[in-house]
Amino acid sequence: MTNRILPPPGVPRRLAAAQLSNSVGDGAYYVCSALYFTRVVGLSPAQIGLGLTIAWAVGSVAGVPLGALADRRGPRGTSVLLAVATAASVCSFLFIRSFWAFLAAVLVYATAQCGLAAARQALLAGLVAPEERTGVLAHLQAVLNAGLAVGAALGGLALGVGTERAYFAVFALDALAFLLCAAVLLRLPVVAPVPDRAAGEPRLAVLRDRPYALVTLLNAILLLRMPLLSLAIPLWIVERTHAPGWMASALFVLNTLAVMLFQVRVARPVTDLDSARRAVRVSGLVVAAACGVFALSALPRSGWAAAAILLAGAVLQVDAEMRQSAGSWQIGFGLAPAERMGQYQGFFGTGVPIARTLGPLVLTSLLLLWGIPGWLLLGGLLLAASYAMGPAVRRAEAARGGDGGNGGGNDGDGGNDGGDGAARASVRSR
């Protein structure tokens, strides 16, 4: 089981140690943050939602220039600085007592997180061979889920205590986790900065790369499935089915364990852009089937029958999630020029904050207001995006001169992680 989670020794394992550190802290933070901001700080749910929406929108935009900064100044140093900035922003949560202070703190937090995701992807691309990147990212995703599970358990203990000091302990843990992440990243080899831009070359070339922008847009649509398990399905279970409410937690645990155990195996066949396109296309078929199965869970009057249908849908959903993640990692890396890896990673990673911002509104509107037809429409949307990804990738590959198939941008040497790196998102992100 350890081999399914931990990558090989050396650079990949140090990257995994950094991932594990901040994911444990984040897992505790995600469980407790909403209640802390309402019960301790005194903010309303509407204020929290507005602040987070603004923060992640700004963060998604800032990820591109921060990724470009990682290219120019070196991804290791930039990653370390952004990890420290994230720790500082988490510490600042302990002192805020107003909406405007909260907004300022979460703006720094979201910006540092988005920039850190881009810089770490550039660091990975500089240290890991192109043919090994998707496999390493699969290991990192498994480690991410393991860390989130541990952190969520610790956060649950704090919720059980329910005191202000318990919440403070969670934020202190998250801040320390990011400092530890920075220390681990500092022990990695230095990746040399890219040469200065040529005369007349745009500062943020990715913003003019229309084929890559189309691929990024399609990936963002596919990532709309991210709030399914954390928001949409729990509400669906309570409001539209006769299944017991605890099924929401059971399905989340199933998803976490499945990714921990099988993400590496699912990602193994994805080695180039052709196999990545196939993985994304198959993921669209599977997620469309999952949406259909979830829709059927509203029909049985028996709670156990509804629970069985939900379980079948969750199995299909996590299979689609792992295939889509593996394919998007390879696509994002394979189409990014090696000398602009940071800014391309920052741009490709905008799918995660977009899904975080728009996903809850889209999913709750479709599923809770429209019911079964909403599930079918969601499945059709994700299926269409997955099938459109193939032609979009071929167009971007042709614009790059066909070099992307080896995972490497202009010289066959580049690469990227998309959805979950950010999910990393991606994972970040449940």
Side-chain angles (χ1 to χ4, degrees):
M1 177 176 173
T2 302
N3 290 337
R4 294 182 181 181
I5 299 177
L6 293 179
V11 166
R13 191 160 291 184
R14 289 186 181 180
L15 289 168
Q19 181 80 293
L20 179 64
S21 173
N22 68 251
S23 62
V24 170
D26 276 347
Y29 166 79
Y30 294 147
V31 168
C32 297
S33 59
L35 289 179
Y36 171 79
F37 291 131
T38 54
R39 293 180 178 178
V40 177
V41 180
L43 301 179
S44 68
Q47 288 176 315
I48 296 172
L50 176 62
L52 291 175
T53 298
I54 294 172
W56 287 112
V58 172
S60 65
V61 174
V64 178
L66 288 174
L69 178 66
D71 291 332
R72 295 195 307 271
R73 301 299 182 186
R76 191 190 72 167
T78 306
S79 297
V80 170
L81 288 176
L82 288 170
V84 172
T86 305
S89 66
V90 172
C91 285
S92 72
F93 293 151
L94 301 176
F95 305 101
I96 62 174
R97 290 298 181 268
S98 69
F99 170 74
W100 295 110
F102 165 75
L103 180 59
V106 293
L107 278 170
V108 175
Y109 176 80
T111 299
Q113 283 275 49
C114 291
L116 176 60
R120 283 171 62 167
Q121 294 303 89
L123 180 60
L124 184 149
L127 296 176
V128 178
E131 65 275 10
E132 298 175 6
R133 289 172 189 158
T134 297
V136 171
L137 285 164
H139 281 289
L140 295 184
Q141 185 68 13
V143 169
L144 171 69
N145 274 34
L148 289 174
V150 173
L154 295 174
L157 294 176
L159 289 179
V161 176
T163 64
E164 186 172 333
R165 287 186 177 181
Y167 290 120
F168 283 3
V170 166
F171 285 97
L173 171 65
D174 195 19
L176 288 173
F178 273 99
L179 290 177
L180 179 59
C181 170
V184 174
L185 292 174
L186 196 58
R187 296 185 61 198
L188 289 168
V190 173
V191 175
V194 299
D196 291 336
R197 292 178 296 122
E201 182 182 343
R203 183 177 297 275
L204 297 177
V206 66
L207 300 182
R208 300 189 181 186
D209 192 336
R210 293 181 180 179
Y212 196 85
L214 177 59
V215 170
T216 300
L217 174 62
L218 292 172
N219 186 64
I221 294 173
L222 293 173
L223 288 175
L224 289 176
R225 48 88 180 158
M226 288 175 58
L228 270 177
L229 287 177
S230 60
L231 177 66
I233 289 179
L235 293 175
W236 173 263
I237 290 173
V238 172
E239 297 190 12
R240 293 285 190 140
T241 80
H242 291 86
W246 53 261
M247 276 299 298
S249 176
L251 297 183
F252 191 90
V253 171
L254 168 68
N255 181 277
T256 300
L257 291 177
V259 173
M260 284 173 54
L261 295 176
F262 301 113
Q263 179 68 81
V264 174
R265 179 182 298 179
V266 171
R268 195 169 291 134
V270 181
T271 57
D272 54 22
L273 289 179
D274 287 335
S275 55
R277 286 193 293 261
R278 287 194 297 271
V280 172
R281 185 169 61 246
V282 172
S283 79
L285 291 168
V286 178
V287 78
C291 288
V293 172
F294 280 131
L296 294 177
S297 65
L299 300 180
R301 293 289 179 181
S302 165
W304 290 108
I309 294 174
L310 288 166
L311 181 62
V315 171
L316 291 171
Q317 188 273 331
V318 72
D319 179 79
E321 176 185 329
M322 291 187 290
R323 293 177 188 273
Q324 189 266 326
S325 294
S328 70
W329 294 332
Q330 184 67 36
I331 288 168
F333 269 133
L335 295 176
E339 69 277 8
R340 302 185 189 121
M341 192 60 65
Q343 62 174 282
Y344 270 69
Q345 293 322 296
F347 189 70
F348 196 72
T350 56
V352 173
I354 288 173
R356 225 179 237 164
T357 303
L358 300 181
L361 176 62
V362 171
L363 294 184
T364 53
S365 298
L366 279 178
L367 306 182
L368 300 181
L369 297 181
W370 290 24
I372 291 177
W375 275 111
L376 301 181
L377 183 58
L378 176 63
L381 174 65
L382 297 177
L383 179 62
S386 69
Y387 266 73
M389 184 66 86
V393 170
R394 282 192 290 270
R395 179 188 174 197
E397 189 177 7
R400 231 138 251 90
D403 294 325
N406 295 325
N410 291 339
D411 58 3
D413 227 9
N416 168 57
D417 163 45
D420 256 27
R424 331 122 309 257
S426 185
V427 53
R428 51 216 276 273
S429 43
R430 296 175 197 278

